[in-house]
Amino acid sequence: MYRRLSVLLAGAALPLALISAPAQASHPAIQLGSVLPAPTEVHPSNTTFRLDSHTVIEAPRSARNVADQLAKALRPATGYRLPVVDRAPHGAPAISLETGHAGARLGSEGYQLDVRKSGVSIRANANAGLFHGVQTLRQLLPAAIDASRRQHADWTVAGGQIVDVPRFGFRGAFLDEARHFHTPGEIKRYIDDISRFKINSLHLHLADDQGWRIQIDSWPKLTKISGGAGTGVDGVGGGYLTKAQYKDIVRYAADRYVTIIPEIDMPGHVNAAQVAYPELTCDGVAPEPRTDTDVGYSSLCIGKEITYKFVEDVIRELAAITPGPYLHIGGDEAHATTPADYVTFQQRVLPLVKKYGKTAYGWNEISRAPAATKAVAQYWSTDTSNADVAAAVANGMKVVMSPANKAYLDMKYDRNTVLGLSWAGFIEVRTAYDWDPGTLVTGVPESAVLGVEAPLWSETLRDIGDIEFMAFPRLPAIAELGWSSADDHDWESFRARLGAYGPRWVQQGVDFYRSPQIDWAS
Ligand code: ACM
């Protein structure tokens, strides 16, 4: 693929000495506010903290998980021991994590970071806030901190205070497992990537026309027939997550304060299910397996009772392995379902999600069904008004904003982008950044918006390198829309912070798109 080739060549052209050159001691510390997403309040002081071989990480037992992750993140590049202790020895330079009584303003995800000469403290009401504070601290250290081998850098952090709280409680990423299957290892790497930007949910699209990607015990042929090799787009790849693998991903995500949201798309996008179980079609005849990228041709049989047995079994089994509050039932592009059948189907299925203790989440078409007022709709339309959505919102429906012409990370950056699609237009970094989830859609006021999600469909994306190239640098734009205050929205500021972030992705081995809109630091 062209993309890979050019990056490999660019990498090879860099003299090795330059990559591993020690940072100059005279480099000023990174400015306190130079963080993605932009923090709520930044109060610089004229002191600094220097991480050194004596530094300890202090945390209560209850925050050990976050402290251990911080130590693991800082040890390779510094080469320091950075022991994690309950209480730092008197006078020892420490990074202290503290939970509880951090103030109501910080809520469950906010944090306060104080950098003094003697040490750094991160305070929060809950571990999620500590984790987000840790991500900020990582960005305040030189980019070399992300190197996997020891660097001789000056690990100085600018002094002062950051008080940081999210604008929205829902800040999501999305991965399409159906069109091309991505392995548990790739999903975990993406979780690592996104959680650096305070993204707190990952929606996994687990079934579509091409393949079925999650073990369902009561319908075993779903994965046996439609989850194997050759079920990816163009017959490339395939696979599925066993329940054990899914649960392991859920745990891995939870350790990073990311909630997994599973999606089974229906009543359309079901060809793979019908290949495995022809009784799910109206005529009982098995359709051909399909690995092309057409949409809108398949539908569950709305009038057959077995349809609802199938749907309930799948929802029950998925709910049982999903601790998070949401279960996504798709609902998009059901062009092979009549409008009346669509509503009939949703009126039965939306309450089934509730029956198994979850809140139904679906693409914005679900708003056509009256039962959707208790659900969450994912707004993927490119229109700035939608009568069904506005009416459902007036009756209580909540919305997550994913407008395809701004938030879809699988759209090409420009006409030269080799990967991705362009049906919703080209999305350069500024297009991804310059919109407001609280005002974009008429009849969807900020009070109805839970947050944002950045979908990444994988018709053209085969592996984690492809995923990262499309996600970065646009994912931080969506993350900032979700986290940072609307008052702080500022393209020039974002552009400068993004440009400064580039060397971190280089250190992490993330092959990102070097948008010409950004002055990338080298
Ligand atoms: C979608 O992009 N079909 C939700």
Side-chain angles (χ1 to χ4, degrees):
M1 232 167 254
Y2 295 134
R3 172 184 68 74
R4 287 305 180 64
L5 198 63
S6 65
V7 165
L8 285 175
L9 289 174
L14 282 174
L16 212 60
L18 208 148
I19 296 172
S20 57
Q24 297 302 305
S26 59
H27 270 188
I30 290 161
Q31 279 190 12
L32 197 62
S34 187
V35 173
L36 290 167
T40 314
E41 277 181 28
V42 179
H43 306 286
S45 73
N46 53 17
T47 185
T48 56
F49 170 73
R50 184 144 178 227
L51 184 74
D52 65 22
S53 60
H54 303 291
T55 304
V56 302
I57 296 176
E58 179 184 59
R61 282 289 148 106
S62 59
R64 195 80 190 206
N65 151 43
V66 181
D68 286 342
Q69 291 187 68
L70 173 61
K72 222 173 139 195
L74 305 186
R75 279 176 189 143
T78 62
Y80 302 150
R81 281 182 53 235
L82 301 171
V84 176
V85 298
D86 294 342
R87 198 154 275 295
H90 187 70
I95 301 173
S96 303
L97 308 185
E98 303 163 36
T99 45
H101 309 296
R105 182 181 169 209
L106 295 184
S108 58
E109 288 197 292
Y111 65 92
Q112 178 177 320
L113 174 88
D114 287 278
V115 183
R116 303 185 189 88
K117 189 168 168 35
S118 57
V120 173
S121 78
I122 303 175
R123 278 195 282 162
N125 290 314
N127 282 3
L130 290 183
F131 183 84
H132 297 321
V134 160
Q135 304 319 309
T136 294
L137 177 60
R138 293 171 76 183
Q139 289 190 39
L140 294 174
L141 285 158
I145 197 66
D146 283 334
S148 54
R149 280 184 303 153
R150 188 167 178 181
Q151 309 286 306
H152 295 283
D154 174 2
W155 307 113
T156 295
V157 182
Q161 182 180 74
I162 290 178
V163 181
D164 205 7
V165 283
R167 176 182 178 188
F168 294 110
F170 190 116
R171 304 175 307 279
F174 164 111
L175 207 48
D176 174 7
E177 286 288 291
R179 271 51 174 276
H180 282 111
F181 179 68
H182 312 295
T183 64
E186 291 177 314
I187 296 171
K188 287 179 180 178
R189 167 137 175 148
Y190 198 51
I191 291 169
D192 287 342
D193 289 345
I194 64 177
S195 61
R196 285 177 180 263
F197 301 103
K198 305 181 174 73
I199 292 289
N200 67 357
S201 65
L202 177 62
H203 168 175
L204 296 176
H205 183 76
L206 293 168
D208 212 301
D209 289 317
Q210 298 82 356
W212 187 281
R213 310 293 181 211
I214 180 76
Q215 174 187 346
I216 301 291
D217 297 323
S218 54
W219 296 73
K221 287 194 281 186
L222 291 169
T223 46
K224 194 160 190 270
I225 293 180
S226 292
T231 57
V233 163
D234 296 335
V236 174
Y240 67 92
L241 300 175
T242 64
K243 284 189 174 175
Q245 288 171 326
Y246 178 86
K247 289 187 210 169
D248 178 53
I249 289 166
V250 165
R251 270 192 303 270
Y252 187 90
D255 278 343
R256 287 147 186 82
Y257 302 90
V258 171
T259 300
I260 296 294
I261 303 173
E263 178 189 351
I264 300 298
D265 206 345
M266 48 197 174
H269 292 274
V270 293
N271 193 67
Q274 293 175 323
V275 168
Y277 289 100
E279 55 268 49
L280 295 176
T281 65
C282 282
D283 62 9
V285 176
E288 286 298 310
R290 298 264 304 248
T291 58
D292 59 276
T293 59
D294 279 359
V295 295
Y297 59 83
S298 62
S299 176
L300 290 172
C301 189
I302 306 306
K304 267 184 163 176
E305 229 16 64
I306 193 166
T307 294
Y308 303 95
K309 165 138 182 56
F310 166 73
V311 170
E312 183 161 357
D313 285 343
V314 169
I315 289 174
R316 187 187 63 250
E317 290 197 33
L318 268 183
I321 55 174
T322 301
Y326 298 113
L327 211 143
H328 200 299
I329 53 165
D332 60 320
E333 299 175 312
H335 308 315
T337 316
T338 68
D341 275 356
Y342 184 86
V343 171
T344 300
F345 178 80
Q346 295 296 359
Q347 288 297 97
R348 280 192 72 169
V349 172
L350 287 164
L352 279 180
V353 178
K354 178 105 187 118
K355 178 175 170 185
Y356 291 100
K358 301 297 171 188
T359 297
Y361 184 26
W363 299 106
N364 60 247
E365 288 95 321
I366 63 164
S367 58
R368 296 179 197 147
T373 53
K374 295 203 171 55
V376 176
Q378 185 168 10
Y379 196 86
W380 68 283
S381 168
T382 57
D383 298 331
T384 53
S385 68
N386 180 305
D388 294 321
V389 169
V393 162
N395 286 314
M397 187 180 75
K398 298 293 183 204
V399 177
V400 169
M401 297 302 301
S402 298
N405 53 347
K406 300 180 188 301
Y408 268 36
L409 303 179
D410 57 306
M411 291 300 117
K412 291 176 184 288
Y413 293 98
D414 65 20
R415 63 172 42 81
N416 298 318
T417 312
V418 174
L419 296 171
L421 306 176
S422 58
W423 62 263
F426 299 125
I427 304 182
E428 250 292 359
V429 180
R430 187 165 190 169
T431 306
Y433 183 74
D434 262 345
W435 59 285
D436 183 351
T439 59
L440 184 77
V441 180
T442 311
V444 185
E446 176 143 352
S447 57
V449 175
L450 297 182
V452 290
E453 189 181 297
L456 184 47
W457 298 93
S458 67
E459 286 95 332
T460 67
L461 312 181
R462 295 184 181 180
D463 61 22
I464 187 68
D466 293 347
I467 289 165
E468 289 177 340
F469 184 78
M470 297 308 276
F472 300 111
R474 291 179 292 194
L475 184 89
I478 306 302
E480 181 145 317
L481 291 173
W483 181 278
S484 306
S485 154
D487 294 341
D488 292 332
H489 189 85
D490 180 343
W491 165 249
E492 287 303 329
S493 160
F494 177 72
R495 186 175 169 270
R497 285 176 285 118
L498 194 61
Y501 197 93
R504 293 177 195 274
W505 279 317
V506 172
Q507 294 289 1
Q508 294 161 29
V510 170
D511 172 15
F512 64 102
Y513 167 63
R514 284 158 175 79
S515 165
Q517 295 184 332
I518 309 297
D519 295 328
W520 296 105
S522 51

